[in-house]
């Protein structure tokens, strides 16, 4: 397979994706290489210039630009304007505080975005450091970054595959590709060409960069390096995917934009009206307008929102859900779809024997994963294994025909070898404990790709020798054909039945041999024929907690979709066990690839399981759900999940078994790998949204009331009842006390029984706007009435102090109403003790504001009498009475 002398080396080699379809000769020709001698040394530099080094290099956004774009937010603009205004008014401390809020928000966003870019660095670190190449007919090691297309690479057990390779010669080669394809077991490879378009997980004649060789050896030819490899394309996808704003952030932006325009337009209109009518002198009018804006702008909203979210993040961390971005804590509450990788997320990624069938009985085995915890049952009843010689032999031979080790450390069971082999060890330990049989190994036959079984020759204490064998059912069926009692049809039908239910089927047998037999060979097995013992049906079991969690999510109106590299039959069987839907619909990645983005968006909601998918398929599936205005979460643990994790509205990665790439691409990491933790996070997210919404519905009317006081005073040509610094005091102490009460507000009853909110749903509905208007008017009017009634009789300072406290107590009583959907007279009144603490602190600050002499001097206030306080409290109580009557009317109308 040497290259033709007439072929040109000029220019880069053509990029192809169908090398798996070509025979070996055509591969060598297309890559202008030679086999078995490899490239010539003088060709390497030219190919390096044409293709670049075998490394992932992507353009990154400068850190300074990432920082600057954190300021591109309407809420931030409002804060900046507020800071500038307070500076112009000479309130430097307030300007500094607002400026610090702006900087802190920008730093939080910067850190979040920089964390996401770390996923690319983790991908780079996954690439192999060195590679064994054959050049000029000689085999030697070179830095993996120096590989070029056409290079001949030698692989053996323990190697990481350094680039994408087309396998030319394989000897029992098995490669672990789970992080790339989602397959649990390592994949048996060969050199034969494949027909038609084949999914990534089924390209058995290809080896991909970042995967690892678990068995055997091979020679392969480099077909792609660097960014052109599968792992390079994943890294490009991670870099290209722009993290969309969370639903809450989009809603807050819309709200902030609306508030900004309303305040600016009203301020301009009032200014023009006051100037035309010559209500005040121009300097006085300007200060009045500034006071109106300062009072109306809810500068505490971003801070209050951030504090509520941060507190929620802290609570989730205690539940083993580590949230990396504040908005992500709330986004889960709005989730409509959870698209989840199967292996390691919905399932344990630990192969487990679930059924054993001998010629006498059908046994089931409890317990999941590698931990040897469980029972062997027959008809639902635990059995004494020793009473069935056939079962004892089955477990013994499965244990012996094995070259995997199962170990326990700190309560965690792990394997060194093949997951399928480990399942036999676990089953043996469940039956007999961790006491290894006293046997002496004489010879071993590793798994052979041509024969698809493995065998071991052993000797017991009585010096009797036997061969244990396990492997593909059809291969062992043929070896058992000599036995006239062997019912080939029965065992074949049973094997097919297990396979169709999504289980991997392994057959087990043995041969008694003479004392002088010293090696095990294929000829030996064929000559003797085996004693067939039975079949084992193996699954990658669903995580026990996942089934209940999915049921709860369906109750909450959330649909869980499974995206996997498994075959459609296996994927559907697992989906049924998980309870994804009543009638599970499956579509394959190859069909997804043949659909346009619009076509995929139209049909994507019809399917529950996506099988044989690639990383690009996952990315498109997430985008298709989002195109239907569905808030979509993605859960996963592998490198192949990274682009979809980043694209999703919220990405959730497994913390224990998840790759670093997946964890860096995600918004939330489950420290305990417990999928059911997502349910807790969803409930917390819904609570956070409710409390943020309550904060907004509370903050806006009370802020607007301050602005209305200024507007009414200007229009009525009255003395301004409050100064700008008094308005700032109101906003500051409210932000430090009353607004924080919503942090601790518990979830509303039945919060997980309601469907997810729609992405088109606004933070405030028509009634909310109506309530905001009348509450603003009540508080503003009450404050003005109090000022007008007492200004002439007790003087400006007392009347102004009463006006300020009227607003404060209006806020206090309104807090009682807005805290919960239930009546203030219900038991819900007592569910948030911290609300009473916040009110108590607020009252204490107002006492200081009203009675402490230096505060009187700063804020132009004066001490109040008991009769003054009585008037203030009564006016505040009116707010509670009217809002509670409105709540009662709405509740009665609903039912």
């Amino acid at each position: 397979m040497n290259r033709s002398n007439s072929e040109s080396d000029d220019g880069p080699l053509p990029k192809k994706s169908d090398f798996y379809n070509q025979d070996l000769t055509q591969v060598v020709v297309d890559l202008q290489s030679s086999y078995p001698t490899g490239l010539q040394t003088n060709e390497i530099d030219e190919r390096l210039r044409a293709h670049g080094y075998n490394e992932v290099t992507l353009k990154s956004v400068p850190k300074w630009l990432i920082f600057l774009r954190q300021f591109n937010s309407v809420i931030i603009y409002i804060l900046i304007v507020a800071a500038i205004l307070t500076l112009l008014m000479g309130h430097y401390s307030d300007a500094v505080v607002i400026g610090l809020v702006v900087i802190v928000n920008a730093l939080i966003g910067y850190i979040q975005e920089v964390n996401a870019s770390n996923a690319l660095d983790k991908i780079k670190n996954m690439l192999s450091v060195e590679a064994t190449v054959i050049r000029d007919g000689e085999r030697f090691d070179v830095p993996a970054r120096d590989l070029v297309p056409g290079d001949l690479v030698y692989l053996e057990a323990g190697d990481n595959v350094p680039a994408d390779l087309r396998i030319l010669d394989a000897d029992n080669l098995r490669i672990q590709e789970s992080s790339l394809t989602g397959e649990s077991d390592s994949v048996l490879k060969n050199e034969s060409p494949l027909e038609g378009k084949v999914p990534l997980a089924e390209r058995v004649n290809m080896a991909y960069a970042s995967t690892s060789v678990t068995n055997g050896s091979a020679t392969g030819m480099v077909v792609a390096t660097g960014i052109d490899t599968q792992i390079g394309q994943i890294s490009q996808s991670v870099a290209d995917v722009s993290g969309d704003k969370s639903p809450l952030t989009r809603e807050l932006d819309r709200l902030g934009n609306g508030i900004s325009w309303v305040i600016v337009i009203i301020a301009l209109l009032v200014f023009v009206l006051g100037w035309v009518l010559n209500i005040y002198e121009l300097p006085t009018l300007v200060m009045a307008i500034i006071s109106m804006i300062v009072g109306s702008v809810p500068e505490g909203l971003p801070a209050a929102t951030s504090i509520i979210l941060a507190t929620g993040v802290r609570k989730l961390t205690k539940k083993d859900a580590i949230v990396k971005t504040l908005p992500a804590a709330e986004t889960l509450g709005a989730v409509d779809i959870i698209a989840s990788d199967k292996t390691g997320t919905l399932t344990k990624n630990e192969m487990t024997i679930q059924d054993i069938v001998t010629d006498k009985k059908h046994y089931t085995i409890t317990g999941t994963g590698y931990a040897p915890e469980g029972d062997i049952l027959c008809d639902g009843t635990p059995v004494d294994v020793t009473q069935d010689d056939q079962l004892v032999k089955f477990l013994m031979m499965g244990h012996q025909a094995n070259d995997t080790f199962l170990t326990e450390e700190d309560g965690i069971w792990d394997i060194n070898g093949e997951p399928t082999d480990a399942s036999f060890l676990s089953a043996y330990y469940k039956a007999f404990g961790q006491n290894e049989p006293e046997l002496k190994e004489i010879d071993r036959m590793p798994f052979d790709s041509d024969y698809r079984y493995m065998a071991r020759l052993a000797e017991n204490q009585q010096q009797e020798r036997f061969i244990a064998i396990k492997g593909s059912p059809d291969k062992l069926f043929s070896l058992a054909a000599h036995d006239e009692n062997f019912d080939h049809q029965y065992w074949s039908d049973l094997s097919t039945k297990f396979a169709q239910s999504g289980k991997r089927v392994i057959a087990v047998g043995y041969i008694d041999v003479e004392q002088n037999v010293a090696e095990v060979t294929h000829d030996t097995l064929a000559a003797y024929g085996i004693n067939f013992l039975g079949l084992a049906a193996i699954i990658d079991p669903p995580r026990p907690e996942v089934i209940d969690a999915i049921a709860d999510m369906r109750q909450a109106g959330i649909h869980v979709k499974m995206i996997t590299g498994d075959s459609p039959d296996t994927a559907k069987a697992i989906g049924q066990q998980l309870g994804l839907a009543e009638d599970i619909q499956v579509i394959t990645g190859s069909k997804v690839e043949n659909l346009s983005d619009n076509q995929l968006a139209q049909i994507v909601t019809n399917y529950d399981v996506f099988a044989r998918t690639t990383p690009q398929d996952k990315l498109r599936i997430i985008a298709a759900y989002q195109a239907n205005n569905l808030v979509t979460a993605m859960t996963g643990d592998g490198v192949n999940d990274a682009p979809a994790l980043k694209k999703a509205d919220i990405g959730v990665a497994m913390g224990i078994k998840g790759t670093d790439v997946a964890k860096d691409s995600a918004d939330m990491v489950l420290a305990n790998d417990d999928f059911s933790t997502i349910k807790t996070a969803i409930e917390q997210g819904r609570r956070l949204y409710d409390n943020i919404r309550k904060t907004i519905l509370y903050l806006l009317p009370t802020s607007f009331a301050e602005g209305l006081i200024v507007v009414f005073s200007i229009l009525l040509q009255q003395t301004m009842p409050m100064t700008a610094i008094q308005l700032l005091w109101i906003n500051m102490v409210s932000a430090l006390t009353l607004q924080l009460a919503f942090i601790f507000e518990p979830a509303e009853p039945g919060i997980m029984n309601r469907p997810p909110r729609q992405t088109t749903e606004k933070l405030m509905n028509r009634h909310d706007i109506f309530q905001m208007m009348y509450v603003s008017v009540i508080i503003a009017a009450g404050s003005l009435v109090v000022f007008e009634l007492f200004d002439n009789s007790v003087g400006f300072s007392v009347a102004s102090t009463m006006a300020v406290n009227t607003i404060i107590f209006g806020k206090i009583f309104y807090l009682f109403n807005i805290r919960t959907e239930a009546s203030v007279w219900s038991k819900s009144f007592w569910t948030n003790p911290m609300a009473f603490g916040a009110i108590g602190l607020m009252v204490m600050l107002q006492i200081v504001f009203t009675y402490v002499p230096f505060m009187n001097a700063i804020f132009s206030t004066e001490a109040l009498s008991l009769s003054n306080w009585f008037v203030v409290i009564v006016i505040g109580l009116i707010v509670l009475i009217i809002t509670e009557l409105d709540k009662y009317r709405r509740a009665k109308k609903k039912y």
Side-chain angles (χ1 to χ4, degrees):
M1 280 186 272
N2 287 322
R3 173 183 46 192
S4 168
N5 292 331
S6 63
E7 290 166 1
S8 171
D9 290 330
D10 295 335
L13 301 174
K15 291 182 180 179
K16 298 173 68 69
S17 59
D18 59 352
F19 285 106
Y20 58 83
N21 292 137
Q22 298 178 347
D23 60 32
L24 306 186
T25 303
Q26 188 60 46
V27 171
V28 174
V29 169
D30 280 355
L31 292 169
Q32 300 173 17
S33 186
S34 299
Y35 179 74
T37 58
L39 293 173
Q40 298 174 15
T41 303
N42 58 13
E43 297 176 292
I44 303 304
D45 289 342
E46 184 178 342
R47 296 200 181 199
L48 278 175
R49 283 193 297 271
H51 296 274
Y53 286 107
N54 179 34
E55 57 190 8
V56 177
T57 54
L58 299 168
K59 291 183 179 178
S60 57
V61 180
K63 296 292 192 292
W64 62 268
L65 183 57
I66 293 176
F67 180 72
L68 285 181
R69 66 189 185 194
Q70 306 307 317
F71 294 91
N72 186 25
S73 161
V74 175
I75 295 294
I76 296 297
Y77 295 157
I78 294 174
L79 288 175
I80 291 173
V81 169
I84 293 172
L85 290 174
T86 51
L87 271 175
L88 293 174
M89 294 170 59
H91 299 285
Y92 303 114
S93 59
D94 296 307
V96 168
V97 170
I98 296 173
L100 284 174
V101 171
V102 172
I103 298 298
V104 168
N105 281 342
L107 285 173
I108 290 172
Y110 170 79
I111 292 169
Q112 292 166 359
E113 198 163 336
V114 167
N115 279 343
S117 67
N118 289 341
L120 302 179
D121 295 329
K122 292 297 192 309
I123 288 176
K124 294 176 187 178
N125 294 336
M126 293 184 68
L127 299 180
S128 180
V129 177
E130 285 197 337
T132 301
V133 298
I134 300 171
R135 293 175 180 170
D136 294 325
E138 296 183 10
R139 194 167 86 183
F140 53 93
D141 291 340
V142 299
R145 73 190 296 265
D146 291 340
L147 289 178
V148 295
D151 250 329
L152 208 55
V153 174
Y154 178 76
L155 299 173
E156 59 185 348
D159 287 346
N160 285 331
V161 180
D164 287 1
L165 311 175
R166 170 64 162 89
I167 296 168
L168 304 182
D169 177 29
D171 180 15
N172 294 321
L173 179 70
R174 298 183 75 93
I175 296 182
Q176 175 56 256
E177 300 178 330
S178 61
S179 66
L180 196 63
T181 66
E183 289 279 11
S184 303
D185 253 347
S186 56
V187 180
L188 184 63
K189 299 287 186 176
N190 61 57
E191 64 273 11
S192 302
L194 302 171
E195 294 291 333
K197 194 168 186 178
V198 179
L200 186 71
E202 296 177 7
R203 296 175 189 171
V204 294
N205 57 13
M206 299 290 294
Y208 293 105
S210 81
T211 61
S212 57
V213 180
T214 59
N215 266 332
S217 61
T219 304
M221 187 162 285
V222 176
V223 299
T225 59
I227 200 68
D228 295 324
T229 61
Q230 288 292 324
I231 192 72
Q233 292 300 301
I234 290 175
S235 66
Q236 185 67 62
S237 295
V238 173
D240 290 344
V241 171
S242 57
D244 295 331
K245 289 185 177 180
S246 73
L248 175 65
T249 304
R250 292 195 295 269
E251 291 172 40
L252 288 174
D253 283 349
R254 284 196 297 266
L255 178 65
N257 194 40
I259 291 172
S260 299
W261 281 109
V262 169
I263 292 175
V264 169
I265 290 171
I266 292 176
L268 288 174
L269 288 174
V270 174
F271 177 79
V272 171
L273 185 63
W275 188 30
V276 170
L277 297 179
N278 198 24
I279 295 174
Y280 295 136
E281 295 293 328
L282 186 59
T284 305
L285 180 62
V286 170
M287 288 303 299
I289 295 300
I290 290 175
S291 297
M292 188 205 83
I293 294 175
V294 168
S296 300
V297 170
E299 63 264 30
L301 178 58
T305 302
S306 295
I307 292 171
I308 290 173
L309 290 174
T311 307
V313 166
R314 199 156 51 243
K315 285 186 176 182
L316 285 172
T317 300
K318 293 178 181 178
K319 300 287 187 180
D320 290 319
I322 302 168
V323 181
K324 293 159 58 179
T325 63
L326 292 183
E330 179 279 331
T331 301
L332 268 171
V335 161
D336 299 286
I337 300 290
I338 298 178
S340 180
D341 173 56
K342 178 186 76 71
T343 305
T345 305
L346 299 177
T347 62
K348 294 175 71 71
N349 196 16
E350 297 179 2
M351 302 302 286
T352 305
I353 294 180
Q354 193 172 62
D355 303 88
I356 293 177
V357 181
T358 65
D359 62 358
K360 293 181 179 180
K361 294 179 181 176
H362 183 163
Y363 297 95
T364 57
I365 304 181
T366 63
T368 59
Y370 297 138
E373 300 167 357
D375 297 308
I376 298 180
L377 311 176
C378 184
D379 297 326
T381 304
V383 299
D384 181 356
V385 174
T386 59
Q387 297 303 306
D388 185 345
D389 292 339
Q390 195 85 342
L391 178 60
V392 171
K393 288 181 180 179
F394 183 98
L395 293 168
M396 175 71 75
M397 299 309 161
H399 176 279
Q400 285 300 297
N402 208 310
D403 53 11
T404 291
F405 296 95
L406 182 61
T407 58
E408 184 264 342
E409 184 175 349
D410 298 329
I412 298 175
W413 289 83
D414 202 1
I415 66 167
N416 182 355
E418 290 297 317
T420 297
D421 290 347
S423 69
F424 279 88
L425 297 181
S426 178
Y428 179 87
Y429 294 153
K430 287 176 183 178
F432 302 109
Q434 296 174 49
N435 300 315
E436 297 290 339
E438 296 182 6
L439 299 170
K440 176 183 177 183
E441 179 179 326
I442 306 300
D443 191 29
R444 181 189 308 191
M445 177 190 292
F447 185 89
D448 188 291
S449 58
D450 292 327
Y451 293 89
R452 300 206 305 278
Y453 54 67
M454 66 186 305
R456 175 182 288 181
L457 173 62
E459 183 179 88
N460 61 24
Q461 290 181 304
Q462 289 75 40
Q463 296 186 339
E464 298 168 337
R465 294 190 177 186
F466 63 90
I467 297 173
I469 181 172
K470 79 175 188 336
S472 173
D474 59 325
K475 292 296 183 181
L476 266 66
F477 291 166
S478 63
L479 291 174
H482 72 286
D483 185 353
E484 59 184 21
N485 294 320
F486 177 72
D487 188 343
H488 185 283
Q489 189 62 48
Y490 166 77
W491 291 109
S492 180
D493 290 345
L494 184 61
S495 176
T496 301
K497 180 181 176 182
F498 279 138
Q500 288 176 343
S501 67
K503 298 175 182 177
R504 176 167 293 158
V505 187
I506 301 295
V508 177
Y510 76 100
I511 306 170
D512 288 320
V513 296
E514 292 80 8
Q515 180 67 27
N516 61 356
V517 175
E519 64 176 348
V520 54
T521 66
H522 299 299
D523 292 337
T524 304
L525 298 174
Y528 278 91
I530 69 168
N531 298 304
F532 188 79
L533 290 172
L535 296 175
I538 305 170
I539 62 166
D540 179 9
R543 292 176 175 273
E545 71 278 1
V546 169
I547 297 174
D548 292 337
I550 289 176
D552 290 341
M553 290 176 193
R554 290 180 64 185
Q555 175 78 20
I558 300 165
H559 301 282
V560 180
K561 310 290 185 176
M562 187 168 75
I563 309 178
T564 176
D566 277 342
S567 68
D569 287 342
T570 299
K572 183 173 183 178
I574 295 294
Q576 288 171 334
Q577 293 178 39
L578 292 169
L580 294 182
E582 298 300 327
D583 181 21
I584 292 177
Q585 299 299 312
V586 184
I587 188 172
T588 62
S590 58
K591 291 181 180 178
V592 168
E593 288 179 16
N594 292 327
L595 296 172
S596 67
D597 290 343
N598 288 336
Q599 290 172 327
L600 180 59
Q602 290 172 9
I603 60 95
V604 70
T605 55
N606 298 332
Y607 293 95
D608 310 290
V609 172
F610 300 84
R612 288 294 189 228
T613 55
T614 66
Q616 188 61 30
D617 293 335
K618 293 184 180 184
L619 192 60
R620 293 186 64 218
I621 291 165
I622 296 298
Y625 281 121
Q626 292 173 326
N628 284 283
N629 291 321
L630 297 171
V631 179
T632 306
M634 173 70 195
T635 67
D637 63 346
V639 179
N640 57 330
D641 301 315
L645 286 169
K646 188 176 178 185
K647 174 64 178 173
D649 294 296
I650 177 167
V652 183
M654 300 295 113
I656 299 174
K657 293 190 176 180
T659 61
D660 287 340
V661 181
K663 286 185 276 191
D664 278 331
S665 298
D667 303 292
M668 185 171 83
V669 177
L670 303 182
N672 56 1
D673 276 14
D674 187 344
F675 183 85
S676 64
T677 303
I678 298 177
K679 181 188 72 173
T680 303
I682 289 173
E683 183 174 3
Q684 183 69 215
R686 293 185 175 189
R687 185 188 75 84
L688 292 176
Y689 178 82
D690 283 353
N691 289 348
I692 288 171
R693 184 174 177 275
K694 290 173 184 177
T695 301
I696 293 168
L697 295 180
Y698 172 77
L699 180 61
L700 293 185
T702 52
S703 293
F704 290 166
E706 299 169 37
L708 281 177
I709 290 173
V710 178
V711 173
F712 289 159
S713 298
I714 293 174
L715 295 179
L716 297 173
Q717 302 185 34
Q718 295 179 344
T719 304
M720 294 290 295
M722 284 173 283
T723 64
I725 193 171
Q726 287 176 337
L727 293 173
L728 281 172
W729 165 264
I730 294 171
N731 288 348
M732 182 181 68
V733 295
S734 297
L736 291 174
T737 56
L738 300 182
Q739 285 171 223
L740 300 184
F742 294 104
I743 294 173
F744 307 98
E745 197 63 42
E748 295 285 348
I751 196 170
M752 287 299 285
N753 293 328
R754 68 193 192 200
R757 74 176 191 274
Q758 299 296 312
T759 54
T760 54
E761 182 181 328
K762 296 181 179 179
L763 275 165
M764 294 188 296
N765 55 37
R766 289 182 179 180
H767 178 269
D768 295 333
I769 295 172
F770 170 69
Q771 181 169 307
M772 180 182 69
M773 293 172 61
Y774 78 69
V775 170
S776 300
V777 171
I778 292 172
I779 294 175
S783 182
L784 281 172
V785 167
V786 167
F787 179 78
E788 285 299 310
L789 288 176
F790 289 87
D791 185 25
N792 294 327
S793 59
V794 297
F796 175 84
S797 294
V798 172
S800 180
T801 305
M802 289 181 68
V804 170
N805 280 297
T806 298
I807 293 177
I808 293 296
F809 274 85
K811 287 190 171 194
I812 289 173
F813 283 110
Y814 185 47
L815 176 67
F816 286 128
N817 169 266
I818 208 72
R819 268 188 48 226
T820 174
E821 294 177 2
S823 168
V824 71
W825 315 116
S826 69
K827 61 182 181 181
S828 297
F829 182 79
W830 307 104
T831 56
N832 183 4
M834 294 302 295
F836 297 99
I839 291 169
L841 180 59
M842 182 70 161
V843 171
M844 289 177 58
L845 288 172
Q846 285 308 112
I847 290 173
V848 171
F849 174 81
T850 304
Y851 292 105
V852 174
F854 82 86
M855 295 291 284
N856 297 152
I858 294 173
F859 292 99
S860 303
T861 57
E862 196 168 325
L864 302 182
S865 66
L866 286 177
S867 60
N868 297 149
W869 280 113
F870 178 78
V871 172
V872 166
I873 292 172
V874 168
I875 297 295
L877 191 59
I878 293 174
V879 177
L880 177 63
I881 293 172
I882 294 176
T883 52
E884 280 297 308
L885 286 173
D886 183 25
K887 184 187 292 183
Y888 173 77
R889 177 189 62 80
R890 285 184 288 120
K892 191 174 181 180
K893 184 178 179 181
K894 184 184 296 184
Y895 296 104

